[in-house]
Amino acid sequence: MMSKVIAIRVLGVLAGLFLTFGAQANLIVNGGFDDNNVAAGNWAYFPSSSVNGWEGDNIEIWDSFGGVVAPEGTQHAELNAHPFDGTVFSIYQSFATVIGQTYDVSFFYSARSSNSEQFSFGAGTLAALLNDHVVGSWKQYTGSFVATGTTSTITFTSYDNSTVGNFLDDVVVTARANVVESNPILMLVIGLAGLFYSRRKLRNVR
């Protein structure tokens, strides 16, 4: 009887910890643009249909080309991609959401050749124009939104149709955990308290 109670309590603690990790998992597929292998020191462009997770226009992917170091992994994307098609460039990705749930969004961006580079961004009810680029320096955008539907979409759209500009990397969307789920130590304490209470109760019964 004692071993069964202990097993149940331990499983409860483990389940809480797994919920914590699950709540913090990135909902964006290939947010670092590392799935399409590009030789180190080079760049290549791909139709978005060939880039895991993404849709829209072509995506240019760099791997340390020109000495640019990605903030996450070894590769990053350039939003203004090759070749010139006469229109602005836009890439997007949809992901499952829960109505009323808060989601945190972050990504890195940088200018390729001019501090005047800019692009528009949207995710759920979030919308922004990022126009504070700096050549040779990555900045991180952070924000959050509350889902209004069972599917949300993150979108990046270039300001002009040039084939030069707007580096992107490490796109992350996570569901915000509640207080209990976000604190593994608290979950462990609760589980241990349950174990202690169960053992004490069984002792009293005997």
Side-chain angles (χ1 to χ4, degrees), residues 55-131:
E55 298 181 72
D57 293 307
N58 288 342
I59 302 177
E60 198 168 301
I61 298 177
W62 291 35
D63 188 325
S64 307
F65 180 70
V68 180
V69 178
E72 186 274 333
T74 60
Q75 299 183 169
H76 68 272
E78 182 178 12
L79 181 59
N80 289 58
H82 181 83
F84 176 75
D85 65 0
T87 64
V88 296
F89 294 86
S90 184
I91 61 173
Y92 61 94
Q93 184 172 151
S94 296
F95 50 94
T97 49
V98 176
I99 296 174
Q101 169 73 51
T102 300
Y103 293 86
D104 294 316
V105 181
S106 67
F107 56 84
F108 286 89
Y109 63 99
S110 176
R112 171 179 171 178
S113 63
S114 170
N115 291 348
S116 63
E117 294 172 24
Q118 55 187 312
F119 63 87
S120 60
F121 150 76
T125 55
L126 268 179
L129 175 66
L130 282 298
N131 57 6

Side-chain angles (χ1 to χ4, degrees), residues 93-171:
Q93 184 172 151
S94 296
F95 50 94
T97 49
V98 176
I99 296 174
Q101 169 73 51
T102 300
Y103 293 86
D104 294 316
V105 181
S106 67
F107 56 84
F108 286 89
Y109 63 99
S110 176
R112 171 179 171 178
S113 63
S114 170
N115 291 348
S116 63
E117 294 172 24
Q118 55 187 312
F119 63 87
S120 60
F121 150 76
T125 55
L126 268 179
L129 175 66
L130 282 298
N131 57 6
D132 59 345
H133 294 49
V134 176
V135 175
S137 177
W138 289 94
K139 291 187 175 183
Q140 185 180 33
Y141 172 90
T142 59
S144 62
F145 70 93
V146 177
T148 58
T150 56
T151 301
S152 297
T153 302
I154 189 167
T155 305
F156 300 92
T157 304
S158 65
Y159 183 76
D160 58 44
N161 57 9
S162 166
T163 62
V164 175
N166 296 310
F167 289 153
L168 287 171
D169 196 24
D170 196 21
V171 183

Side-chain angles (χ1 to χ4, degrees), residues 3 17 47 49 80-81 91 96 108 111 124-125 174 189 196:
S3 60
L17 294 176
S49 58
N80 289 58
I91 61 173
F108 286 89
T125 55
T174 56
V189 170
F196 175 77

